[in-house]
Amino acid sequence: MSDDEFRAALSRLAAGVVLITAHDPDDGPRGEDVGMTATAFLSVSLDPPLVMVSVRNDSRMDDLLELQPLWAVSVLSGHQRQTAGRFAMKGRISDRLLFEDIPHVRGEASGAPLIGGALATLECRTEQRVEAGDHTLVIGRVLATSVPNEDDGPLMYFRGKYRQLG
């Protein structure tokens, strides 16, 4: 099986789109916020409340989450396609500029940015990291949640494109 065959098979699995964020206190005088679009995100356990995200090994987010145990998840709405694309770009501009014109607040439990207009937000603390091939599975205990936007549908990723449900 080739990489392309593997990708083609998995592209048939629709996935919700989230933005993973964390604050790097050691980057500059006031630190820097870091963000990453993810589709490999899921609920792991209700008791205790655990979620998991898969991050590419040696990525900026992987390096940061190895040192920073607090992070957040913003479940993106169907109208946040541009935000998802912005944080998924390869060779992108600095994270500071990416956050510049996106409405967000700082989470009280995590210190990480929570994106305005998200369907839900979760603030997490890493419980476990599991290396799995070229990715690391980061399992986090959910410390706080918010459901600020109940009227919109989710942003989905299917066959290599962002799509709205409905």
Side-chain angles (χ1 to χ4, degrees):
M1 170 189 62
S2 72
D3 289 351
D4 288 341
E5 290 170 324
F6 182 65
R7 278 189 202 99
L10 291 182
S11 76
R12 276 29 177 207
L13 177 64
V17 182
V18 301
L19 186 65
I20 306 297
T21 56
H23 182 73
D24 183 354
D26 297 328
D27 191 347
R30 284 187 261 159
E32 183 170 22
D33 295 324
V34 177
M36 175 196 92
T37 301
T39 56
F41 174 78
L42 57 97
S43 168
V44 173
S45 168
L46 185 59
D47 185 20
L50 299 173
V51 294
M52 184 201 75
V53 65
S54 178
V55 297
R56 187 174 33 84
N57 292 344
D58 301 320
S59 65
R60 173 110 190 258
M61 187 60 75
D62 181 44
D63 293 344
L64 178 56
L65 292 184
E66 191 169 13
L67 303 172
Q68 167 61 280
L70 298 172
W71 46 282
V73 180
S74 295
V75 179
L76 298 181
S77 78
H79 295 96
Q80 294 179 306
R81 183 181 307 215
Q82 183 178 7
T83 299
R86 176 184 285 200
F87 285 90
M89 290 187 301
K90 294 183 192 288
R92 63 188 199 199
I93 59 175
S94 80
D95 284 85
R96 182 171 282 117
L97 294 174
L98 292 176
F99 280 103
E100 200 168 72
D101 62 346
I102 293 179
H104 63 279
V105 297
R106 193 156 306 282
E108 289 184 29
S110 66
L114 305 174
I115 304 304
L119 297 178
T121 60
L122 302 94
E123 295 184 78
C124 306
R125 181 185 63 238
T126 299
E127 293 273 312
Q128 187 176 1
R129 291 172 52 89
V130 179
E131 288 191 29
D134 59 2
H135 278 65
T136 297
L137 308 177
V138 181
I139 299 169
R141 180 181 294 254
V142 179
L143 306 173
T145 63
S146 175
V147 184
N149 185 354
E150 297 181 38
D151 295 335
D152 206 355
L155 182 62
M156 304 295 293
Y157 193 72
F158 181 69
R159 288 192 171 184
K161 295 180 181 177
Y162 294 119
R163 301 170 190 265
Q164 288 182 257
L165 188 64

